[in-house]
Amino acid sequence: MPTLHPVLLCGGSGTRLWPLSRKSFPKQFVPLTGEQTLFQAAAARMAGAPGVAAPIVITNSDFRFIVTEQLALAGIDPGAILIEPSARNTAPAILAAALYLAQIDPDALMLVMPTDHEIPDTAAFRAAVAEGVPRAEAGQIVTFGIRPDRAETGYGWLELSAPPAGAAPVPLLRFVEKPGLARAEAMLAEGRYLWNAGIFLMSVGTLLAAFRTHAADLLAPVTEAVTSARGDLGFLRLAAGPWGKAREVSIDYAVMEKAGNLEVVPFAAAWSDLGDWNAVWRDGVGDGNVATHGPVTLIDCEGSLIRSESEALRVVGIGLRDLVVVAMPDAVLVADRSRTQEVKEAVARLKLDKVRQAEILPRDHRPWGWFETLVLADRFQVKRIVVHPGASLSLQSHVHRAEHWIVVSGTAKVTVNETISLLTENQSVYVPLGAIHRMENPGKLPMVLIEIQTGAYLGEDDIIRYEDVYARTEGAKG
């Protein structure tokens, strides 16, 4: 039996679940509905199953260390992590994975999955995949359709050749774009339509043949991007030049809507793309009640989602009806629950106004850990910095600022010019302007410190890098 390779698509702009999800840290990396993030749950969905290889992840350079950190926390070793030089939508990304697999396992099956969907029943999902494997081995492209329980206008639908019977694969007639309410109600009543989950199962050879037939123009640039890819700290960076020549197009438009060999496995267990805050509310409460997260106090509220993402920020709601309230340290969303699809438009307006909160979270993730700005004012800034065990910042200096570090917990190994010292809780060190310095965590627990910056310019690009275990370029942050 061919080996099955999960392929995890891990990009996205993070706009529809703003302010929790943003371009710098989209929803798949957020513990949105439980302890695990959606990305970790997707990676674990097939992990350890018989005949299943380690997952292949396709992401961008900004997310590469977040991906490795979250996989490590979930106890999952990736088979490969492909780095896209730029966003080209799903067709080039999936083609790159197929071409990579063709080099190492040409007889493989591919299970292509978004990483920002919620599928809580792993056993049911694996059973659905098992239903599709024989058809994929026979040369079919298998997709998975969710049995609808409402006339949903926010999803694409799949029209089947006949009403589904159990979990047996059914030939697909066509994809249906997001419908209006009347059309959605009619499809729900007819029984031949399922929601499109955007998950595909097929052999490498079948997919490459489909690209040759329906999207041949993508083959040359993506093939060159894969064959000219270079290794980088365990990642595989696709070549930027040829990659940029591939048109930006989704797998549905490029291939799937044109192919005639598609079959659908019906999936009756719970599924959600968590595509807006209304979907998150529905996932949390079912029908007609209140979903909360974080420090929240409510009086006489109904049909609402209330979240506080900071232990120091308590949200109090009185008499709320059908609202979404999401409070972050740097931004608050208040919206009618029926209009949460418009959050994307609000983010676009914030971007036009060059508002930092449109895309950037206050917590900034780095390969060594993360930091968040606590105070930012004229000529000074206060940050909380957390460094992972065994991790190290680059050896660096600054042209425009000096820094004062105060260790809150853990142990810091600090280099300032020629002096190397170990600092523990409540100890501090001063880093003069221009000094060559480095911060390391030699311990087995996270190291937390407070950094006070003073100077004429406090931007993250004020950095001269001398050594960096993460091989980042000069001027890169952190």
Side-chain angles (χ1 to χ4, degrees):
M1 178 181 294
T3 301
L4 188 150
H5 293 259
V7 176
L8 307 180
L9 305 178
C10 194
S13 58
T15 57
R16 292 189 292 172
L17 291 182
W18 186 93
L20 181 60
S21 170
R22 305 186 199 180
K23 183 179 180 180
S24 68
F25 203 73
K27 69 175 182 178
Q28 63 262 31
F29 299 126
V30 176
L32 192 61
T33 60
E35 294 297 321
Q36 277 192 323
T37 68
L38 297 175
F39 170 71
Q40 288 172 316
R45 199 159 287 140
M46 296 298 296
V52 176
I56 295 171
V57 182
I58 308 174
T59 189
N60 62 48
S61 187
D62 289 343
F63 300 154
R64 67 194 190 282
F65 292 114
I66 300 172
V67 163
T68 54
E69 178 184 343
Q70 293 205 353
L71 287 175
L73 289 172
I76 297 172
D77 293 323
I81 300 176
L82 309 184
I83 305 299
E84 297 178 279
S86 58
R88 312 307 296 162
N89 212 317
T90 54
I94 294 170
L95 176 57
L99 291 166
Y100 170 79
L101 279 173
Q103 297 175 342
I104 64 170
D105 188 2
D107 297 324
L109 298 179
M110 301 173 59
L111 177 64
V112 179
M113 297 184 287
T115 56
D116 58 356
H117 294 180
E118 183 182 42
I119 305 175
D121 192 337
T122 296
F125 181 77
R126 291 184 177 186
V129 171
E131 288 282 349
V133 164
R135 303 305 301 148
E137 291 178 309
Q140 299 296 98
I141 297 175
V142 178
T143 189
F144 296 82
I146 310 302
R147 291 184 182 272
D149 58 11
R150 63 186 182 275
E152 176 62 56
T153 61
Y155 298 155
W157 293 59
L158 304 170
E159 182 181 356
L160 279 56
S161 61
V170 181
L172 174 70
L173 289 184
R174 66 185 183 99
F175 291 82
V176 181
E177 293 293 332
K178 296 177 182 179
L181 181 58
R183 177 63 174 143
E185 290 173 341
M187 289 190 294
L188 180 65
E190 186 172 338
R192 284 193 305 118
Y193 295 84
L194 304 177
W195 293 336
N196 181 11
I199 302 171
F200 297 98
L201 171 65
M202 61 263 143
S203 71
V204 170
T206 295
L207 184 63
L208 292 179
F211 270 96
R212 284 193 290 270
T213 301
H214 304 296
D217 63 297
L218 292 175
L219 284 167
V222 177
T223 298
E224 186 178 352
V226 172
T227 56
S228 301
R230 61 181 178 85
D232 176 15
L233 293 175
F235 306 106
L236 186 66
R237 288 186 175 272
L238 303 176
W243 184 259
K245 297 176 183 177
R247 62 185 164 104
E248 185 174 346
V249 62
S250 74
I251 190 69
D252 284 0
Y253 285 124
V255 172
M256 299 305 175
E257 293 183 1
K258 303 171 185 175
N261 59 334
L262 270 80
E263 296 186 11
V264 182
V265 171
F267 185 69
W271 169 90
S272 175
D273 76 341
L274 297 176
D276 61 13
W277 283 116
N278 193 43
V280 176
W281 167 81
R282 186 185 298 111
D283 183 82
V285 301
D287 293 320
N289 214 316
V290 175
T292 64
H293 175 84
V296 171
T297 299
L298 301 179
I299 300 173
D300 186 30
C301 296
E302 293 181 2
S304 297
L305 170 67
I306 316 294
R307 294 179 68 109
S308 174
E309 302 298 330
S310 170
E311 289 301 319
L313 182 62
R314 176 160 291 275
V315 175
V316 178
I318 301 174
L320 304 182
R321 298 289 184 270
D322 300 322
L323 290 182
V324 169
V325 179
V326 181
M328 300 283 290
D330 64 334
V332 177
L333 170 70
V334 181
D336 187 291
R337 193 164 52 77
S338 67
R339 300 182 62 179
T340 54
Q341 289 281 348
E342 297 175 46
V343 170
K344 186 175 182 179
E345 299 173 23
V347 174
R349 183 174 299 185
L350 292 174
K351 288 173 63 176
L352 284 175
D353 293 339
K354 302 188 186 317
V355 176
R356 174 182 171 83
Q357 288 92 328
E359 297 184 319
I360 307 298
L361 280 168
R363 180 171 293 187
D364 206 329
H365 290 261
R366 293 286 180 264
W368 44 260
W370 55 267
F371 69 83
E372 61 183 343
T373 298
L374 304 177
V375 179
L376 177 58
D378 186 31
R379 297 187 65 87
F380 82 93
Q381 180 172 202
V382 181
K383 291 181 177 179
R384 174 167 61 164
I385 299 177
V386 177
V387 183
H388 297 316
S392 169
L393 279 71
S394 61
L395 186 67
Q396 60 187 251
S397 66
H398 308 295
V399 176
H400 301 289
R401 70 173 185 260
E403 297 174 341
H404 195 115
W405 296 341
I406 306 165
V407 178
V408 175
S409 64
T411 301
K413 180 181 178 182
V414 174
T415 299
V416 181
N417 291 326
E418 303 300 322
T419 303
I420 300 176
S421 55
L422 287 177
L423 304 180
T424 57
E425 185 175 332
N426 293 326
Q427 294 184 316
S428 64
V429 66
Y430 175 66
V431 182
L433 186 150
I436 297 176
H437 59 280
R438 183 184 350 236
M439 179 195 310
E440 304 172 66
N441 180 1
K444 296 182 179 180
L445 297 174
M447 184 265 288
V448 182
L449 61 82
I450 298 297
E451 177 182 82
I452 303 172
Q453 302 177 356
T454 58
Y457 177 71
L458 306 175
E460 289 298 320
D461 55 351
D462 176 20
I463 183 170
I464 300 173
R465 202 182 304 279
Y466 304 96
E467 296 176 7
D468 182 30
V469 296
Y470 307 107
R472 291 167 294 176
T473 59
E474 183 172 315
K477 298 176 182 180

